Amino acid sequence: MNIETRVYQLLSGSSDLIQLLENLRLEPFEDGENGIWKHEIPPLFCKKEHAPFLRISPIFESDGSYFDDAARSEEQRVLISFWCHTDTQAYQIKRCIDHVLKSNEFTHYTANENPRYRDTDIDLLMNNRKYRFFDWKNNEEE
């Protein structure tokens, strides 16, 4: 399974995260949207009133952990960007995302990057979190 799909399913399936986003949002989404998207946020929903909302983007996939000249795992990395109004909201959302992903064998990582900044295009606080996952292959996949 692609990492963005795996992360989307985990985050969308978290009633704690969905409830938190709904409680922080000034205007609810219509049409059953939950505020979590893969690859891009539809322009209709990319509005300050709809914050917080999240975007999931794959950023790396490569074989790893070789045994007998064959890759036994694939390292997958994902960037989760989310927009919110305040530092307090950013902290709450970050903790909830961390809980969901870390309890599903994801590791948070970052290196010399700016985790939060004001996105002047939409006047919201933009947050970036990177996670990695090792997808271990079993013998049936060969």
Side-chain angles (χ1 to χ4, degrees), residues 31 89 95 110 122 131 135:
D31 301 327
Q89 289 180 354
R95 284 184 44 115
T110 188
I122 194 169
Y131 298 87
D135 192 5

Side-chain angles (χ1 to χ4, degrees), residues 26 45-53 85 118 122-124:
L26 298 176
F45 299 109
C46 194
K47 296 179 182 175
K48 189 174 181 176
E49 307 80 47
H50 288 154
F53 44 84
H85 294 279
R118 179 66 55 187
I122 194 169
D123 193 29
L124 289 170

Side-chain angles (χ1 to χ4, degrees), residues 78-91:
V78 67
L79 171 66
I80 299 175
S81 302
F82 63 92
W83 289 258
C84 60
H85 294 279
T86 66
D87 290 339
T88 302
Q89 289 180 354
Y91 181 72

Side-chain angles (χ1 to χ4, degrees), residues 119-136:
D119 182 345
T120 56
D121 290 336
I122 194 169
D123 193 29
L124 289 170
L125 193 61
M126 183 178 184
N127 300 261
N128 294 296
R129 310 269 306 154
K130 291 182 178 180
Y131 298 87
R132 75 178 78 184
F133 178 80
F134 289 92
D135 192 5
W136 295 94

Side-chain angles (χ1 to χ4, degrees), residues 34-49:
N34 61 17
I36 303 172
W37 290 276
K38 297 185 291 182
H39 306 290
E40 70 178 71
I41 300 165
L44 176 65
F45 299 109
C46 194
K47 296 179 182 175
K48 189 174 181 176
E49 307 80 47

Side-chain angles (χ1 to χ4, degrees), residues 6-117:
R6 184 184 311 271
V7 170
Y8 178 82
Q9 288 176 350
L10 291 170
L11 297 181
S12 294
S14 169
S15 57
D16 290 340
L17 178 60
I18 299 302
Q19 188 64 53
L20 175 62
L21 296 175
E22 288 175 359
N23 290 344
L24 297 175
R25 206 167 276 135
L26 298 176
E27 282 187 19
F29 282 115
E30 297 174 8
D31 301 327
E33 293 290 344
N34 61 17
I36 303 172
W37 290 276
K38 297 185 291 182
H39 306 290
E40 70 178 71
I41 300 165
L44 176 65
F45 299 109
C46 194
K47 296 179 182 175
K48 189 174 181 176
E49 307 80 47
H50 288 154
F53 44 84
L54 291 76
R55 178 183 64 208
I56 303 165
S57 306
I59 54 176
F60 180 83
E61 293 176 339
S62 181
D63 288 340
S65 301
Y66 289 86
F67 180 75
D68 288 341
D69 296 326
R72 294 295 180 201
S73 70
E74 180 180 58
E75 180 181 356
Q76 302 174 351
R77 299 180 194 172
V78 67
L79 171 66
I80 299 175
S81 302
F82 63 92
W83 289 258
C84 60
H85 294 279
T86 66
D87 290 339
T88 302
Q89 289 180 354
Y91 181 72
Q92 292 173 303
I93 295 166
K94 168 185 89 109
R95 284 184 44 115
C96 195
I97 291 171
D98 280 353
H99 174 73
V100 171
L101 294 182
K102 288 180 180 182
S103 64
N104 283 279
E105 301 180 15
F106 282 79
T107 305
H108 171 254
Y109 78 97
T110 188
N112 302 321
E113 297 170 20
N114 188 1
R116 272 174 301 291
Y117 60 90

